[in-house]
Amino acid sequence: MARKKIALVGAGQIGGTMALVLAQKNLGDVVLIDIPMTQGMPKGKALDIMEGRSVINSSVDLQGSTDYSAIKGADVVIVTAGFPRMPGMSRDDLLDKNCGVIKTVAEAIKENAPDAFVIVITNPLDAMVYNMQKQSGLPANKVIGMAGVLDSARLACFVADELGVSVEDVKALVMGGHGDTMVSIMECVSVGGIPVSQLMSKEKFAELAKRTAGAGGEIVNLLGRGSAFYSPATSAIHMAEAYLLDKKSVFSCAAKLNGEYGVNGLYCGVPVVVGANGVEKILEVKMSAEEKAAFDKSVEACKKNAEWVDAHT
Ligand code: APR
C-alpha cells in the first residue's frame, strides 16, 4: 500500500513545524509548498528534516516546492499560507490580506487534490475556512478549520496549572469562533473524569476562560514577531491523524453547520467526530444559558466575517 501524502501549503513557522512532527510520527510523505519569492526555503526545510531522519527513526519522504502542482494527489492538505499577526493586530485585521491567498490556494487544491481532507489554519480562521470551502467547492465534511483543538488545549493547560495536576488528565472544550468571543464550556471540562465544577469555582474558571480567549495574543506579544506556531502545528497534526487513521476522534474544530445549534451555512467551532470520511458527525452539547448566549454572540462574529468574504469574493 502506498504511503499517504500530506501537503503543507505555507512552509513558514507552522508549516515547517508540522513537517517535523509528521516525520517524527511517520504519518506519510510530506510536501512543503510556498510562494516563488521564498526561493529555496521550502526545499531547504524539507532537506533539513530529511537529513535528520535516521536519528528520529523516520523513513518518510519530504519534498519542497514553489509549484502548487506538487500537491497532486495529496490525501491531506494543511493550509497556513498567508500572513500571521504582529503585536497590536487582531486576527480580523488579516481578513483582507489572507482572503486572496486562500482563493489562490483553494483553486490549486480543486485542480490538484480534489479528494483531499483540507485543514485550514490561516487566520481569521472561521472566515478563511468558509472561504476555502466556498472557493474550492469541496464537500463541507472534507474542509475544516484548526482552532478548537488548540483553544481547548490551551484551556486544559491553564486548568492543569491551576489545580497542580497532569495536563494529560484534563479534557476541555472550547467552542465558537477563533477570536475574542470563543466560549469555554465549563460543564465539558473534566479532570481525571471529575467535572471541573467540583474542583474550582465558577469565578476561577471564568478567569482561565478569559486567559484562553486571549492566549494567542499573549504569545504574539511575547514573540514580538509573528504568532504561535508549535501548538498550532501539533493541534493540526492531531486532526490529520484522526482522518488518516480513521480514529473517530472527538474534538472541537471549525465545521460547517447545517442546522446544528440553529445555525445554517456558517463555519464555527463545535465538537465533531473525525474519521476516514472527514467530519462524520457534529455533536450538539448542552450549554448553560450564559454559555449559549456567549456562543450565539460568537456565531454573530463568524457571520459578520463570512459576510465580508461573500461581499469581497
Ligand atoms: N501560497 C503558498 N504559501 C504562501 C502564500 C501562497 N499564496 N502566501 C503566503 N504564503 C506563505 C508565506 O510565504 C509564509 O512562508 O505562507 C507562509 C506563512 O508562514 P509564516 O509567515 O511563518 O506564518 P505562520 O506563523 O506559519 O502562520 C500562518 O496561520 O495561525 C495562522 O495567523 C496565522 O495566518 C497565519 C497562518
Side-chain angles (χ1 to χ4, degrees):
M1 196 168 69
R3 277 198 295 239
K4 298 292 184 186
K5 175 171 173 177
I6 301 133
L8 306 175
V9 183
Q13 297 280 58
I14 301 176
T17 309
M18 289 193 297
L20 175 63
V21 176
L22 286 166
Q24 286 171 325
K25 285 177 170 269
N26 274 291
L27 262 186
D29 293 336
V30 176
V31 53
L32 274 160
I33 306 284
D34 214 295
I35 46 175
M37 214 174 79
T38 60
Q39 300 182 341
M41 186 271 274
K43 271 197 167 78
K45 287 195 177 182
L47 183 60
D48 190 7
I49 298 171
M50 283 278 271
E51 289 170 355
R53 287 171 307 158
S54 71
V55 291
I56 58 170
N57 294 321
S58 178
S59 56
V60 299
D61 181 65
L62 294 105
Q63 303 285 332
S65 176
T66 53
D67 185 339
Y68 289 129
S69 66
I71 73 172
K72 203 160 206 66
D75 298 285
V76 172
V77 181
I78 310 182
V79 182
T80 59
F83 301 88
R85 282 198 276 174
M86 295 296 161
M89 287 173 86
S90 82
R91 293 183 182 92
D92 288 356
D93 291 334
L94 299 170
L95 199 48
D96 196 11
K97 270 183 147 178
N98 285 346
C99 202
V101 172
I102 292 299
K103 184 171 191 287
T104 310
V105 177
E107 280 159 7
I109 293 174
K110 187 178 175 183
E111 188 181 334
N112 296 290
D115 296 324
F117 182 56
V118 180
I119 301 172
V120 178
I121 304 184
T122 306
N123 275 314
L125 191 268
D126 306 278
M128 291 306 108
V129 65
Y130 173 84
N131 192 20
M132 170 63 74
Q133 199 258 331
K134 180 179 172 180
Q135 307 290 345
S136 67
L138 265 64
N141 63 311
K142 300 290 283 294
V143 182
I144 61 175
M146 191 295 296
V149 172
L150 170 61
D151 298 327
S152 303
R154 284 173 167 161
L155 176 61
C157 171
F158 303 146
V159 167
D161 243 24
E162 176 62 30
L163 296 175
V165 300
S166 166
V167 71
E168 291 177 57
D169 295 319
V170 181
K171 296 284 172 228
L173 178 69
V174 177
M175 295 174 56
H178 184 50
D180 303 341
T181 59
M182 68 180 74
V183 192
S184 294
I185 311 291
M186 190 170 188
E187 206 171 310
C188 297
V189 178
S190 63
V191 181
I194 306 162
V196 77
S197 55
Q198 295 184 20
L199 302 171
M200 70 171 68
S201 67
K202 217 176 145 196
E203 291 69 33
K204 176 52 73 181
F205 184 80
E207 243 176 62
L208 305 183
K210 187 163 179 240
R211 183 170 177 202
T212 302
E218 187 180 350
I219 296 202
V220 168
N221 289 333
L222 286 168
L223 293 178
R225 211 184 134 72
S227 48
F229 53 99
Y230 295 120
S231 56
T234 47
S235 298
I237 302 309
H238 178 73
M239 295 164 72
E241 212 169 1
Y243 174 76
L244 290 167
L245 306 181
D246 190 19
K247 287 176 84 168
K248 318 286 182 202
S249 298
V250 178
F251 50 69
S252 171
C253 72
K256 193 169 189 180
L257 297 173
N258 187 22
E260 297 87 357
Y261 298 96
V263 182
N264 241 313
L266 264 189
Y267 271 87
C268 198
V270 291
V272 297
V273 178
V274 171
N277 296 313
V279 175
E280 297 185 354
K281 209 176 196 179
I282 291 178
L283 303 175
E284 294 201 60
V285 299
K286 250 203 241 158
M287 295 180 224
S288 68
E290 208 179 316
E291 286 163 352
K292 181 69 170 74
F295 178 76
D296 289 345
K297 196 171 151 213
S298 198
V299 168
E300 275 310 306
C302 296
K303 188 168 172 222
K304 198 171 134 243
N305 279 353
E307 284 172 354
W308 189 97
V309 170
D310 282 341
H312 291 83
T313 54

